[in-house]
Structure formats: structure tokens, C-alpha cells
Amino acid sequence: LCRAELASCCDAVQNFVVSQNNTPVGTNMTYEVESKKRIPIGETIFNMLPISQPFVEYPYNQCAVVGNGGILNKSLCGAEIDKSDFVFRCNLPPTTGNISKDVGSKTNLVTVNPSIITGKYGNLKKKKEFLEDIAAYGDAFLLLPAFSYRANTGASFKVYYALKESKARQKVIFFHPEYLKHLALFWRTKGVTAYRLSTGLMITSVAVALCENVKLYGFWPFSKTVEDTPVSHHYYDNKLPKQGFHEMPKEYGQILQLHMKGILKLQFSECETA
């Protein structure tokens, strides 16, 4: 049910990424959140866009959506994640070194929150460090919400140009603001009324549309496991999110329902290792 509903409301296959096909020159694009603000699409922005949706092998058979929850620590899920046909990750998480046995190292698409660009990389003044960090993701797509808020556009474009100038292997793509708007409305009908959906729920929605089988790892919004063991917020730190921005328990309730309906699988425990 949900898969068909998602396709009819939001059509990720055609619309999830801004492309030359869905955004011709002359489009006056409305921002996702600041809906009174617009950005005209001239030749310069148009040339930054892929011609069409870049996911050529759609539908993918087995996809992994790797959240950043502390539940991944000691999970030994890395090998299973790396066997997937397409791996989604959120917000430039670490995947190299010892941690890869728990979280895997394969990445096909990773989201980038512009606040990471402005904060951690000083608005790309630390460009060398940024390029070194993203080298870990091979030839993954870097997905940025350039058109969610006007404040995101500059940082997102900086990432595009930094990669282009350095001839990096990764490609920059942008979330389509209309897609995100429709997606938020869709989840609102299911009771998720937060100011903004979390990246995890956005990417899960995209994965359900692009993949036959979806498995979620590292999605656990609680501070303890089922066995009452404490869990850090992220597998790499314990920095808590801003209050009031996302509705994690409500979102998680929706993801659990998708799990119970068999639309996706949630991995709660250690992975079986051969």
C-alpha cells in the first residue's frame, strides 16, 4: 500500500533530484521550507544539474539505508551492508578504519547537511580536509538540500564547485524542493507533523521508491537497547539533536509500521556473520 501511495504522491523515480528534465531554464523554483522565496533557474544552475535522474539501474534489488544510531556499534553489520546493491548514508558519517566492520564502507549516496559544510569545514575554507574526508565514499552521489532554505544554496553550490575543480569522483545532486514538499504532506497524513522530516525518513522514503528490498540499519531513537544497555546517540559521538526540530518517536512509529507490513526490514540486533 505505502509503496504505491508514495509513488503516486511523490514519484521519487522522476522527481526526487533536480534534473534538467524536470527543471528547464527559466523555471522560477520555490524553496521547500521558505515557500515565499524563489530562485530563477538560469544557464549556470541548469548546467550544474544531471540531465535526468541519475539512478540508472533502478529498481535496485537490495538496498541498505544506514542511519547513524549508536545501535550500530558492535553490530558487525558491515559485511552485510556492503553486499547490498545500493547503500544510502546520512550526513557524511565516518566509515573508515575499525568502524567499517559495524557500518560497512560501501556508499552509493550520502546526504550532506549544509550545516556540516558551514560548521565543520568552515564554509569550505577547509576544502582540503573536506575532499580528503569524502574520498572515503568512492564515487558516491553527494545529495544536498540546496533549495530547502535560501541559506543552504550558497554552501551547496560551493560543494558542487569544489568537487568540479578538484575533479573529484563524487557527483553532487540536489534534493528537489517540490518532492520534499509532497513527501512532507504525505507523512503529515500519517501523523508526522514535525517542522521538518529527518533526513533518515526522507532517504527511507526514496529507498522504498527506488528499491525492491530495503533494510534499515542504525535506526534507533532511544537511549537504551531492548536489553536495557545504554546506546550513544550516534555510533561516532553522543551529540544530541536540536530539540523540537524532528519528531523522532513519531517517525520511528511510522518506520516500525513499514517494518511490520513487510515494506522494509529494520535491523535491531547484531548481524549474522558467516
Side-chain angles (χ1 to χ4, degrees):
L1 174 74
C2 177
R3 184 167 283 180
E5 280 182 282
L6 260 177
S8 64
C9 88
C10 312
D11 191 8
V13 178
Q14 295 305 322
N15 299 333
F16 126 71
V17 168
V18 186
S19 70
Q20 294 184 353
N21 281 355
N22 62 29
T23 312
V25 171
T27 305
N28 211 3
M29 193 187 277
T30 308
Y31 279 89
E32 174 213 345
V33 184
E34 298 174 303
S35 53
K36 290 193 169 63
K37 307 235 164 85
R38 291 168 186 269
I39 181 165
I41 305 298
E43 292 285 346
T44 310
I45 297 178
F46 183 76
N47 290 329
M48 295 164 80
L49 309 175
I51 293 169
S52 57
Q53 298 301 298
F55 306 100
V56 282
E57 288 166 40
Y58 153 86
Y60 297 93
N61 176 22
Q62 185 66 47
C63 293
V65 179
V66 186
N68 296 335
I71 190 106
L72 274 167
N73 285 324
K74 303 194 174 74
S75 69
L76 299 177
C77 286
E80 186 178 302
I81 290 169
D82 286 348
K83 276 199 205 102
S84 311
D85 300 307
F86 200 97
V87 180
F88 297 87
R89 297 184 191 270
C90 299
N91 293 334
L92 300 183
T95 56
T96 50
N98 209 16
I99 192 75
S100 68
K101 67 181 188 303
D102 293 331
V103 304
S105 57
K106 179 176 180 172
T107 307
N108 299 90
L109 182 151
V110 59
T111 65
V112 186
N113 191 325
S115 63
I116 300 172
I117 301 304
T118 49
K120 184 176 179 183
Y121 298 108
N123 213 2
L124 282 199
K125 287 190 184 71
K126 302 178 182 169
K127 184 166 112 175
K128 187 167 171 287
E129 187 187 328
F130 171 70
L131 291 169
E132 280 166 11
D133 287 353
I134 63 164
Y137 304 119
D139 52 8
F141 291 101
L142 266 58
L143 174 63
L144 292 111
F147 308 110
S148 291
Y149 298 88
R150 210 163 49 170
N152 286 355
T153 310
S156 301
F157 286 5
K158 269 196 170 144
V159 172
Y160 172 87
Y161 286 116
L163 266 68
K164 196 178 168 187
E165 282 159 23
S166 63
K167 296 192 168 56
R169 290 167 61 194
Q170 302 78 17
K171 293 184 184 67
V172 169
I173 50 178
F174 303 125
F175 257 128
H176 201 300
E178 283 302 310
Y179 171 76
L180 292 180
K181 245 184 264 186
H182 288 140
L183 194 63
L185 289 171
F186 170 80
W187 285 113
R188 190 161 291 157
T189 66
K190 311 272 182 227
V192 181
T193 53
Y195 179 62
R196 193 138 190 272
L197 298 177
S198 71
T199 306
L201 188 56
M202 291 174 185
I203 288 299
T204 298
S205 306
V206 167
V208 166
L210 293 182
C211 312
E212 306 278 354
N213 302 289
V214 177
K215 194 158 185 187
L216 269 52
Y217 302 83
F219 278 69
W220 186 256
F222 312 107
S223 54
K224 291 194 163 128
T225 64
V226 186
E227 293 84 28
D228 230 25
T229 325
V231 177
S232 67
H233 185 65
H234 292 136
Y235 68 79
Y236 45 85
D237 70 27
N238 199 21
K239 214 162 98 185
L240 296 175
K242 274 190 222 154
Q243 283 299 310
F245 212 64
H246 304 312
E247 288 185 309
M248 287 311 191
K250 269 193 188 162
E251 285 196 2
Y252 201 69
Q254 288 301 321
I255 287 174
L256 269 176
Q257 283 190 22
L258 296 179
H259 172 75
M260 291 186 290
K261 286 178 187 161
I263 291 166
L264 51 77
K265 285 192 180 127
L266 267 164
Q267 179 73 25
F268 301 106
S269 53
E270 282 182 28
C271 287
E272 310 270 324
T273 45

